[in-house]
Amino acid sequence: MNIFIATIIENKAYLREDECHHCCKVLRYKSGDTLRVIDGNGKMYEGVLETATPKLCVIKIVAEIGKQVEDDRKLHIVIAPTKQIERIEWMIEKCVEVGVNAISFIQCKNSERTVLKHERLIKVIESAVKQSLRLYIPKLNPIIKFNDFIKTQNSGALYIAHCHHNFEKVEYKIALKNQANVTVLIGPEGDFTSDEIVSAQAASYKGISLGNSRLRTETAGLFACQAFKILND
Amino acid sequence: MNIFIATIIENKAYLREDECHHCCKVLRYKSGDTLRVIDGNGKMYEGVLETATPKLCVIKIVAEIGKQVEDDRKLHIVIAPTKQIERIEWMIEKCVEVGVNAISFIQCKNSERTVLKHERLIKVIESAVKQSLRLYIPKLNPIIKFNDFIKTQNSGALYIAHCHHNFEKVEYKIALKNQANVTVLIGPEGDFTSDEIVSAQAASYKGISLGNSRLRTETAGLFACQAFKILND
């Protein structure tokens, strides 16, 4: 049975307009049909489609069929978008499947891409949420300048992943374990500059080592996410 | 500096024909230029290009500049190719970056794809090897029938990852830790059939759980790979 993301008000679920079109036009659901909705906040419901138009779909909720508690440990991946956008799209998809709480984008000195289609990435997240049956929708933040980001994000355990050898680093197995709130910065293809690392350190970010392999930007993002999951599972 | 994969005979490195073309035509290397080669068996050398033609490139080795010992714990990912081949290609790329020793393909009852371009996948592996500076080239095996595979592969710790709830499973954290030799079977989009799981069990494969999320085929393959790496790191 298909799953849709909806706004729940009392015992009714309202699909977003793009979901309505998908529901009625693409999947041909008709009023009276049973379907599943998630609220993106930990709950899944089964309901009966009452109003079924491409602009408005209203579902009468019949039962709560799934519940997830919010993660007690949260991971925020902060990454410089790759030149090839597909690489970031699949990283987002995989991070959502494995489990991530927030994803932000930063514009760095060596960034080759500074523009992102936010709406498209939201869709990538939502389809991964439906596919993986994760009932919380991770937060996606628009791209901002590296220096602006490190000024604003300064709570929890803060790490910057880079390949420079002349800066101290914490091993990921120590860095990511038993932390309630972790932020990991992942640099662009050309890596962070020394200046960026120094600024991050001044904003109380510590260097983190993700192991011995030289990982691509998007692989590093997913590796940090899976390591956080596995080490705290 | 670019890295090439070469056959080493005494103090000379011979590039494969496709590497020769890439070296001379694409990257415009000329005789006298210095470049790096890896033998795919744990060593990286620096050398000087002596013969530089699109059909034959011979490098005089000057120094051994890198050495890796072979992993003492080996992971073999055995997966049913996905309908969209890009998904398998990126999984291969990421598994190589993170570290995998062998990848095999199986044709299952629910497989939507039974044909693979082996040569193309070899190229994906080789470019990931160069990019990640891993000096061992993982083995890639052509696609065979599920039942033929489980008959042949029967040494080490054998696992089958599936989403059926009516079969016993070992948690990945126990299953993948401290094992010298692990094989993990990953099913197609439609999962393994009950019959396939029963056959695998008869061939002494145990069920493995990769956590609570419902992972896509290619995500499951990479997750198993990263979990093996992280749990034994």
Side-chain angles (χ1 to χ4, degrees):
Chain A
M1 196 185 303
N2 291 86
I3 294 168
F4 301 89
I5 295 167
T7 307
I8 312 294
I9 299 166
E10 285 158 0
N11 69 334
K12 305 264 177 169
Y14 301 83
L15 302 191
R16 244 190 357 230
E17 195 171 320
D18 56 337
E19 287 276 82
C20 293
H21 180 271
H22 185 64
C23 179
C24 301
K25 288 284 174 189
V26 182
L27 301 168
R28 309 283 181 83
Y29 275 88
K30 296 188 176 19
S31 66
D33 289 346
T34 300
L35 46 73
R36 292 176 174 184
V37 296
I38 60 175
D39 65 356
N41 266 313
K43 289 187 174 175
M44 177 156 60
Y45 303 93
E46 194 161 281
V48 176
L49 196 53
E50 284 182 340
T51 310
T53 73
K55 297 271 176 201
L56 176 70
C57 286
V58 185
I59 294 111
K60 185 175 187 303
I61 292 169
V62 177
E64 181 185 306
I65 56 170
K67 194 172 184 170
Q68 274 173 20
V69 290
E70 203 167 6
D71 301 328
D72 52 350
R73 299 179 191 281
K74 294 193 170 51
L75 176 67
H76 186 179
I77 293 288
V78 183
I79 191 160
T82 52
K83 193 175 176 186
Q84 291 175 284
I85 194 62
E86 319 82 72
R87 293 186 170 272
I88 279 298
E89 289 179 356
W90 83 244
M91 185 209 77
I92 291 174
E93 178 184 289
K94 300 317 168 197
C95 285
V96 172
E97 281 182 64
V98 170
V100 69
N101 307 92
I103 299 171
S104 297
F105 296 104
I106 43 171
Q107 181 179 338
C108 302
K109 180 82 163 44
N110 294 333
S111 290
E112 291 196 68
R113 168 183 292 276
T114 58
V115 181
L116 284 172
K117 289 186 180 148
H118 194 72
E119 282 313 306
R120 177 169 163 82
L121 299 182
I122 293 280
K123 286 202 188 309
V124 172
I125 285 188
E126 292 182 347
S127 78
V129 163
K130 293 176 189 178
Q131 191 279 330
S132 59
L133 296 180
R134 299 191 72 84
L135 303 186
Y136 282 89
I137 300 177
K139 192 167 185 322
L140 188 77
N141 301 307
I143 189 162
I144 64 169
K145 289 206 164 61
F146 173 84
N147 286 316
D148 298 335
F149 183 87
I150 57 173
K151 274 181 218 134
T152 56
Q153 176 67 38
N154 45 29
S155 69
L158 307 170
Y159 299 108
I160 178 166
H162 61 78
C163 301
H164 295 252
H165 297 298
N166 47 337
F167 293 95
E168 221 172 75
K169 292 179 192 178
V170 187
E171 281 303 318
Y172 72 90
K173 294 192 83 165
I174 295 145
L176 301 178
K177 201 175 168 71
N178 301 331
Q179 300 281 6
N181 227 311
V182 175
T183 299
V184 182
L185 308 181
I186 310 283
E189 273 102 340
D191 204 354
F192 290 111
T193 63
S194 301
D195 290 353
E196 285 169 332
I197 296 166
V198 169
S199 314
Q201 285 178 334
S204 47
Y205 280 79
K206 293 197 183 103
I208 183 172
S209 160
L210 299 177
N212 307 328
S213 300
R214 185 171 70 171
L215 304 177
R216 284 176 178 275
T217 293
E218 74 280 7
T219 318
L222 182 57
F223 187 88
C225 183
Q226 297 203 328
F228 183 78
K229 172 88 177 168
I230 289 163
L231 293 169
N232 296 299
D233 189 0
Chain B
M1 196 185 306
N2 292 86
I3 295 168
F4 301 90
I5 294 167
T7 306
I8 313 294
I9 299 166
E10 285 156 2
N11 68 335
K12 305 265 177 169
Y14 301 83
L15 302 190
R16 240 186 4 224
E17 196 171 318
D18 55 337
E19 287 274 84
C20 294
H21 180 273
H22 185 64
C23 179
C24 301
K25 288 284 175 190
V26 182
L27 300 169
R28 309 283 182 86
Y29 274 89
K30 297 188 175 21
S31 65
D33 291 345
T34 301
L35 46 73
R36 292 176 172 183
V37 297
I38 60 176
D39 66 356
N41 265 313
K43 288 186 174 177
M44 175 155 61
Y45 303 94
E46 195 161 282
V48 176
L49 197 53
E50 283 182 341
T51 310
T53 73
K55 296 271 175 200
L56 176 69
C57 286
V58 185
I59 295 110
K60 184 174 189 301
I61 291 169
V62 176
E64 180 184 307
I65 56 168
K67 193 171 185 170
Q68 274 173 18
V69 290
E70 203 167 6
D71 301 328
D72 51 351
R73 300 180 190 282
K74 294 193 171 49
L75 176 66
H76 186 178
I77 294 288
V78 182
I79 190 160
T82 50
K83 193 175 176 186
Q84 291 175 286
I85 193 62
E86 319 82 72
R87 292 186 171 273
I88 279 298
E89 289 180 357
W90 84 243
M91 186 209 75
I92 291 174
E93 178 183 290
K94 301 315 167 198
C95 285
V96 172
E97 281 182 63
V98 171
V100 68
N101 306 93
I103 298 171
S104 297
F105 296 103
I106 43 172
Q107 182 179 336
C108 302
K109 179 83 163 46
N110 294 333
S111 289
E112 292 195 68
R113 168 183 290 277
T114 57
V115 180
L116 283 172
K117 289 186 180 151
H118 194 72
E119 282 313 307
R120 178 169 163 81
L121 299 182
I122 293 280
K123 287 202 188 307
V124 172
I125 285 188
E126 292 183 345
S127 78
V129 163
K130 294 176 189 178
Q131 191 277 331
S132 60
L133 295 179
R134 300 191 71 85
L135 303 185
Y136 283 89
I137 300 177
K139 192 168 187 316
L140 188 79
N141 301 307
I143 189 162
I144 64 169
K145 289 204 166 60
F146 174 84
N147 287 315
D148 297 337
F149 183 86
I150 58 173
K151 274 181 217 132
T152 55
Q153 175 69 37
N154 46 28
S155 69
L158 307 170
Y159 298 108
I160 179 166
H162 61 78
C163 302
H164 295 251
H165 298 297
N166 48 337
F167 292 95
E168 222 171 76
K169 293 179 191 178
V170 188
E171 281 303 317
Y172 72 90
K173 293 191 84 164
I174 295 145
L176 302 177
K177 202 175 168 69
N178 301 330
Q179 300 280 8
N181 227 311
V182 175
T183 299
V184 182
L185 309 181
I186 311 282
E189 273 102 341
D191 204 352
F192 290 111
T193 63
S194 301
D195 290 354
E196 285 169 333
I197 296 166
V198 169
S199 316
Q201 284 177 335
S204 45
Y205 280 78
K206 291 196 183 104
I208 183 173
S209 160
L210 298 177
N212 306 329
S213 299
R214 185 170 71 171
L215 303 177
R216 285 176 176 274
T217 293
E218 73 280 7
T219 317
L222 181 56
F223 187 88
C225 184
Q226 297 202 328
F228 182 78
K229 172 86 178 169
I230 289 163
L231 294 169
N232 296 298
D233 189 1

